[in-house]
Amino acid sequence: MNRITDELEPYLTASGIDFIRNSPEMTARSSIEQSNNVGADLHVAIHSNASPDNLSGILQGTDIYYYPTSRGGQRMAELLQDNFRSIYPDPEKVNVIPTTTLGEVRETAAPSVLIETAYHDNEEDADWIRNNTKEIAKEIARAITDYFGVPLVEV
């Protein structure tokens, strides 16, 4: 996910979006605290998914989580869904899911989403992630710029 974020940064910078990125050493807890401490306007957590042991290698798709009462989180999740449906091999497997259990959408002050780009324990999904980091980053950037109402600047 750090490679995706490396590809995402130039789009955000070129489009005039200020951002703060976590570091690989940070935990979900410290990322939440960082977001809240800086007064972020939007919190986007980028992850890859893992299946339960009994389904390892079977599940596929993109899951985008938001807190159920967050209109901004839902809007961002739906923007990501629209964009990912244009690049994920099976658009029907790009899902928006409200949740109250994930800290990165429950405990952030800003509207937030957690995107599970695809399943890293599924060979096809893992290959898709590895081979499409720039496209994934671009569609995340497009959703962020759409969210803030600014044009996406190509890099």
Side-chain angles (χ1 to χ4, degrees), residues 25-98:
E25 299 80 32
M26 292 174 71
T27 63
R29 166 68 37 219
S30 60
S31 296
I32 293 164
E33 290 171 359
Q34 178 189 53
S35 178
N36 290 343
N37 288 339
V38 301
D41 296 318
L42 178 67
H43 181 96
V44 178
I46 305 169
H47 294 219
S48 61
N49 216 341
S51 306
D53 287 341
N54 63 325
L55 296 172
S56 184
I58 298 170
L59 298 179
Q60 289 184 289
T62 300
D63 293 330
I64 307 155
Y65 297 92
Y66 73 96
Y67 196 77
T69 59
S70 173
R71 286 186 181 174
Q74 182 177 1
R75 182 168 165 261
M76 182 62 189
E78 290 169 352
L79 288 167
L80 285 166
Q81 181 184 41
D82 289 345
N83 294 359
F84 266 67
R85 283 185 169 165
S86 72
I87 61 169
Y88 186 75
D90 184 349
E92 294 303 311
K93 291 183 180 176
V94 179
N95 304 298
V96 168
I97 304 166

Side-chain angles (χ1 to χ4, degrees), residues 75-139:
R75 182 168 165 261
M76 182 62 189
E78 290 169 352
L79 288 167
L80 285 166
Q81 181 184 41
D82 289 345
N83 294 359
F84 266 67
R85 283 185 169 165
S86 72
I87 61 169
Y88 186 75
D90 184 349
E92 294 303 311
K93 291 183 180 176
V94 179
N95 304 298
V96 168
I97 304 166
T99 184
T100 60
T101 61
L102 297 173
E104 283 193 272
V105 299
R106 184 184 71 239
E107 298 175 20
T108 52
S112 58
V113 293
L114 185 151
I115 181 168
E116 298 279 8
T117 56
Y119 283 82
H120 59 253
D121 61 359
N122 178 291
E123 188 175 328
E124 288 177 48
D125 266 13
D127 285 343
W128 179 78
I129 293 170
R130 280 189 292 272
N131 295 325
N132 292 281
T133 56
K134 187 165 182 78
E135 292 80 7
I136 292 167
K138 183 176 182 179
E139 294 311 320

